[in-house]
Amino acid sequence: MAKRHLKVTGDLGRVVFMEFDLRNTQSLEESVRHSDIVYNLIGRMHPTKNFDYEDVHVEGAERIAEAVAKYDIDRFIHVSSYNADKNSPSEFFRTKARGEEVARSIFPETTIVRPAPLFGFEDRLLHKLAGVTNLLTSNHMQERFWPVHAIDVGHALEVMLHDDSTASETYELYGPKNYSMVEIAELVDREIIKHRRHINLPKRILKPAANLLNKILWWPTRSGDEIEREFIDQRIDSKAKTFKDLGIEPAELSNLTFHYLQGYRSSAFYDLPPATEREKREEKKYLHVIDDQ
C-alpha cells in the first residue's frame, strides 16, 4: 500500500513492482536481469535490529553490483552520499565510501552519485525543522552544507539515463548556496510564522542517549551516528563532476520554502504570501528621501 501511489507515475503497465530481499541474491537477480539500467537508491539513515549500515551500504551494494555484472546490464548508477569517506568519524559516511569501492570493483562502469542533503516533499530537512518533535540538537546546529532540491537530483539521474558518457564518472550534486543548519531553521521559522525551540545538548550526553533509544524504540528515531554527523561539514570532491557538467542549474533553497512549508502555518496566516514577498512589502512601507538642497 505504501508504494501504490507510484503506480500512476508511468504509462499503463509501465511501472511494475518487484518484491526482493536485500539478503536474497536470487530475488535481486530476478529484479534486475531484464533491465537496461539499474539505479541503487537503497540506504539507511539509522541502523535497525535487522539491518545495520554495513548490511545495507556495503553488502547490499555488493549483491546488487554482482547481479548487474552477472546479467551484463548496460548501466549501473549507485547513489551514495555526500562526505563519503573511509576515514570519517561517522559510520554512515564510512560505509557509504566502502559501498562505492565495492560497486566499482565489481562493475567498473558504475556511475557514482553523491547528493547533498535533499529538500522537497517528505524530506528529512525542512519538514524535520518545521515539526514540533525536532527539539534536541547538538553542536548548536552549526553543521554547514549545500542543500539540494530533490527535483534537481531526479533530473540529473534522468540525464544520466540518456547520456552514456556519464558511465564510470563520479558526481557531487549540491545546491548553489552554503547554509548552516541554524540558518535553515531561521528560514523555516520565518516561512511557517512560528518559532520552533531547539535545545542544545553536549554530544557526550545526546549521542549515547540516541543510541539507547534507537535500540529500545521500534519506530524510526535518531541514532548516535546522526548526532556525530551534526559535527561534520560537507566537503566537496574537487575531482568529481557536478550539475554544471549535466547542463542543470540547481534551485536555491530560499526560493522554494513556501512551496513545501505552507501546510505548517496556522489558519490565521495560511493565505499570506511567501516570506520573501512579505519582507519586500515591509520595505516599501518606508520612503527614504535624500535632500541634497
Side-chain angles (χ1 to χ4, degrees):
M1 294 295 288
K3 61 183 182 294
R4 189 173 63 176
H5 67 285
L6 298 173
K7 192 75 174 176
V8 296
T9 58
D11 291 337
L12 185 64
R14 300 295 294 177
V15 179
V16 180
F17 300 115
M18 301 286 291
E19 297 287 345
F20 71 91
D21 186 328
L22 197 57
R23 292 193 175 104
N24 188 320
T25 302
Q26 182 179 353
S27 68
L28 289 171
E29 291 177 353
E30 290 175 355
S31 298
V32 307
R33 63 181 179 178
H34 298 299
S35 303
D36 296 314
I37 184 170
V38 173
Y39 291 88
N40 177 25
L41 297 100
I42 300 173
R44 296 292 299 183
M45 294 299 292
H46 58 272
T48 66
K49 65 179 181 180
N50 295 319
F51 290 93
D52 59 21
Y53 292 127
E54 183 81 12
D55 294 332
V56 178
H57 299 156
V58 183
E59 295 178 7
E62 181 179 13
R63 292 190 187 96
I64 294 171
E66 287 174 346
V68 168
K70 178 177 180 180
Y71 289 97
D72 197 22
I73 308 300
D74 292 338
R75 295 291 307 282
F76 178 43
I77 297 179
H78 176 73
V79 179
S80 182
S81 170
Y82 72 101
N83 281 357
D85 182 2
K86 291 189 299 182
N87 300 316
S88 173
S90 163
E91 185 183 0
F92 177 88
F93 292 143
R94 290 198 305 272
T95 53
K96 281 292 188 179
R98 290 173 58 200
E100 292 178 5
E101 285 190 349
V102 166
R104 276 268 170 86
S105 65
I106 297 172
F107 194 81
E109 295 82 15
T110 299
T111 301
I112 292 173
V113 180
R114 298 172 182 160
L118 278 73
F119 66 90
F121 289 114
E122 302 179 4
D123 67 17
R124 292 191 178 99
L125 180 59
L126 298 180
H127 295 282
K128 183 177 77 170
L129 292 172
V132 297
T133 57
N134 186 46
L135 182 63
L136 301 178
T137 64
S138 195
N139 196 28
H140 298 279
M141 303 176 72
Q142 293 303 307
E143 171 197 3
R144 301 198 68 89
F145 52 88
W146 284 264
V148 63
H149 195 198
I151 299 297
D152 292 332
V153 174
H155 185 196
L157 294 176
E158 181 186 11
V159 171
M160 294 173 191
L161 166 66
H162 302 289
D163 187 355
D164 289 340
S165 68
T166 60
S168 305
E169 299 290 352
T170 299
Y171 288 86
E172 290 263 7
L173 303 183
Y174 53 93
K177 185 174 180 180
N178 183 268
Y179 287 92
S180 69
M181 187 67 82
V182 71
E183 290 170 346
I184 298 176
E186 290 171 356
L187 280 175
V188 170
D189 287 352
R190 191 160 65 243
E191 199 65 76
I192 66 177
I193 318 178
K194 295 176 182 176
H195 178 64
R196 298 301 192 199
R197 293 188 61 196
H198 303 285
I199 300 174
N200 192 83
L201 293 178
K203 182 168 70 170
R204 67 178 184 275
I205 296 174
L206 191 55
K207 186 175 179 179
N211 277 328
L212 180 61
L213 289 175
N214 191 56
K215 293 178 180 179
I216 295 175
L217 301 178
W218 58 89
W219 60 82
T221 184
R222 301 175 74 186
S223 68
D225 195 79
E226 289 179 89
I227 306 302
E228 185 68 48
R229 276 174 257 157
E230 292 187 19
F231 291 81
I232 305 174
D233 294 338
Q234 181 180 359
R235 297 184 303 277
I236 305 298
D237 183 357
S238 59
K239 298 179 182 178
K241 293 188 175 183
T242 64
F243 278 118
K244 185 177 181 180
D245 298 286
L246 298 171
I248 299 173
E249 185 69 30
E252 211 277 297
L253 172 68
S254 61
N255 297 330
L256 293 166
T257 51
F258 175 78
H259 184 59
Y260 295 115
L261 297 175
Q262 187 182 15
Y264 288 93
R265 294 181 175 185
S266 68
S267 58
F269 305 110
Y270 189 83
D271 292 327
L272 287 179
T276 51
E277 292 185 17
R278 292 200 309 277
E279 291 163 0
K280 290 178 182 178
R281 291 181 184 180
E282 287 296 320
E283 290 178 1
K284 290 180 181 179
K285 289 182 180 179
Y286 304 96
L287 179 64
H288 300 277
V289 178
I290 300 177
D291 189 358
D292 294 331
Q293 297 180 358

